[in-house]
Amino acid sequence: MEIVSIFEPYLYSFKYSDEEFDELERLFDEWNDIEMLRKFFEENSKDLIYYHIDIDDVIIETRKEAAALRKKFIDLSLESSPKLDAMFMNLDDSELRIINMSKQKSRRRWLRIYAIRIDTNTFVITGGAIKLTHQMEIKKGGRPHTEKELKKLDICRNYLKEHGVYDADSFNELVI
Amino acid sequence: MKIMKTETIINFEKLVSQEKSGWLEKAKWRQDNQAWLEKSALIALKVLRALSDQGSNQRKLADKMEVSAQYINKIVKGSENLSLETISKLEMALGIQLIEVVGFSSFVSYEIPESVQPEIIVSSEIMNILLENKFYSGDNKLNSGEYESFVKAA
């Protein structure tokens, strides 16, 4: 695995050896792929019950959300000092971060991008998911694809630590 | 603390590949082409739904349109810049309307081709009603003519 820059020196992404693209590029390709989205939502249709939305509408909403997220990142890439910290909030385990597009807590927001904070406004993306369940771990009601993202976060964190990328401030500070 | 941070950043930068992500370029392209990409995505959605409703698949559609299965697969991903000719071929092959010009209704009639018409499996109770009312000709499957007669009568 390697790390590629999205826009230096602020946003980076992991690129895994078994993937053609880095994680951010892969995620946005998937979130724009109608066939893939349809397959995903058909396989996870039970989780859509809580959202009161059918498969066609959830695909359209997903694309809209992906477009909004894309615009946000493009706009940030044009800023001289992008405030990436404002886009992220902590995951429950207090070490990992999750992107947070919507402060208004819309019920129809399920796209997630997971990242590790390296320094102030500096992040490296480890993956992402369409998260329809409250929890990520299977034993807590999550789904295999969300649990996989937790594992990826763990692998990436260990990889960074092994290479001396460890900062107490980065991993323990919770307040955004 | 500051020294630690610097070391962290230095160590991190050592890990960053020379290769850059293609995300930003692709994202800008998607943003610049959003208007037609949105239409392409909606067409893909409708094509996939029609294939599912008709019990058909991409391979059958490709054969019907005399194009490659790979091309149909590109279409259903929703990022293909489709020509009006291709859209019309899709409409004829699927027997559905995909687009229309606002303010004008199409004079082309779209009929679901016989080969992709859905089979309607009927329960024995319904079959008895159909037989009694002579809407139904034989096996336990209803063709579209028989179904229409039944619906009209109902």
Side-chain angles (χ1 to χ4, degrees):
Chain A
M1 63 201 233
E2 59 181 339
I3 296 169
V4 296
S5 72
I6 308 294
F7 48 91
E8 283 180 291
Y10 302 102
L11 190 62
Y12 302 83
S13 175
F14 272 96
K15 179 178 180 292
Y16 302 112
S17 47
D18 58 343
E19 293 287 351
E20 186 181 357
F21 300 114
D22 65 86
E23 286 301 278
L24 191 65
E25 192 170 350
R26 181 187 67 77
L27 286 168
F28 275 85
D29 282 353
E30 288 187 9
W31 295 342
N32 280 281
D33 184 333
I34 298 297
E35 185 190 30
M36 198 173 276
L37 287 174
R38 197 172 201 275
K39 186 169 181 285
F40 173 84
F41 286 117
E42 276 177 349
E43 286 170 0
N44 293 274
S45 58
K46 281 181 185 171
D47 294 334
L48 288 178
I49 291 167
Y50 307 104
Y51 294 91
H52 304 290
I53 189 167
D54 69 25
I55 286 180
D56 284 357
D57 286 340
V58 79
I59 292 170
I60 291 167
E61 288 294 318
T62 300
R63 279 179 54 88
K64 278 186 195 169
E65 193 180 342
L69 197 53
R70 179 186 69 213
K71 185 179 183 310
K72 188 74 183 166
F73 273 126
I74 291 174
D75 290 348
L76 283 165
S77 76
L78 299 172
E79 288 178 17
S80 54
S81 302
K83 302 284 184 286
L84 280 171
D85 279 357
M87 287 189 73
F88 291 82
M89 58 183 277
N90 281 93
L91 280 178
D92 291 343
D93 68 0
S94 82
E95 290 189 346
L96 311 169
R97 304 244 166 180
I98 177 177
I99 203 155
N100 180 26
M101 266 293 289
S102 94
K103 298 264 182 188
Q104 64 266 31
K105 292 194 175 179
S106 165
R107 291 182 67 197
R108 287 189 178 177
R109 292 205 178 268
W110 38 73
L111 296 187
R112 297 288 184 274
I113 293 176
Y114 303 109
I116 294 171
R117 188 171 184 263
I118 304 301
D119 202 352
T120 307
N121 293 315
T122 305
F123 290 84
V124 57
I125 290 162
T126 63
I130 297 174
K131 184 171 172 282
L132 300 170
T133 52
H134 183 61
Q135 296 290 336
M136 294 180 75
E137 288 175 88
I138 293 170
K139 66 180 178 188
K140 292 180 180 173
R143 297 289 176 258
H145 70 278
T146 51
E147 184 165 287
K148 185 182 171 191
E149 292 303 317
L150 277 180
K151 286 176 182 163
K152 281 161 67 180
L153 272 160
D154 220 27
I155 290 166
C156 291
R157 187 185 53 185
N158 288 335
Y159 173 83
L160 291 172
K161 279 181 182 173
E162 281 168 16
H163 290 84
V165 183
Y166 181 86
D167 183 312
D169 183 56
S170 298
F171 289 125
N172 296 319
E173 186 185 39
L174 303 178
V175 182
I176 299 292
Chain B
M1 191 65 181
K2 201 168 182 182
I3 294 166
M4 282 294 289
K5 268 195 175 178
T6 305
E7 279 179 8
T8 293
I9 293 286
I10 290 168
N11 288 339
F12 177 74
E13 284 174 350
K14 281 181 195 165
L15 297 175
V16 177
S17 164
Q18 293 290 316
E19 184 192 341
K20 284 204 75 168
S21 168
W23 179 83
L24 193 55
E25 195 181 335
K26 215 182 261 186
K28 284 178 180 168
W29 181 85
R30 282 195 180 115
Q31 188 157 283
D32 292 344
N33 293 279
Q34 191 166 344
W36 70 259
L37 280 169
E38 202 52 48
K39 292 182 178 74
S40 181
L42 294 176
I43 288 172
L45 200 54
K46 210 164 172 185
V47 168
L48 285 170
R49 197 199 308 152
L51 289 176
S52 172
D53 289 348
Q54 296 172 12
S56 189
N57 59 42
Q58 293 179 37
R59 163 70 62 188
K60 286 181 188 170
L61 180 59
D63 290 346
K64 198 169 288 293
M65 289 175 64
E66 296 179 338
V67 297
S68 68
Q70 287 84 350
Y71 183 58
I72 296 296
N73 191 249
K74 270 187 173 180
I75 291 173
V76 297
K77 286 185 177 302
S79 297
E80 191 65 12
N81 194 352
L82 298 161
S83 67
L84 289 171
E85 184 184 4
T86 303
I87 294 170
S88 300
K89 279 183 181 174
L90 278 168
E91 289 179 323
M92 296 311 289
L94 292 166
I96 58 169
Q97 188 173 0
L98 292 169
I99 60 166
E100 66 176 351
V101 178
V102 176
F104 294 90
S105 57
S106 174
F107 55 83
V108 179
S109 79
Y110 299 96
E111 285 180 18
I112 300 175
E114 194 69 39
S115 57
V116 293
Q117 280 185 9
E119 288 178 344
I120 300 160
I121 311 294
V122 232
S123 70
S124 57
E125 290 84 0
I126 300 280
M127 206 186 298
N128 287 335
I129 296 169
L130 294 170
L131 284 167
E132 282 169 19
N133 290 281
K134 296 178 181 173
F135 294 133
Y136 175 55
S137 55
D139 58 18
N140 70 335
K141 290 170 186 166
L142 212 58
N143 67 37
S144 60
E146 291 163 347
Y147 176 71
E148 276 170 24
S149 301
F150 172 63
V151 170
K152 274 180 194 163

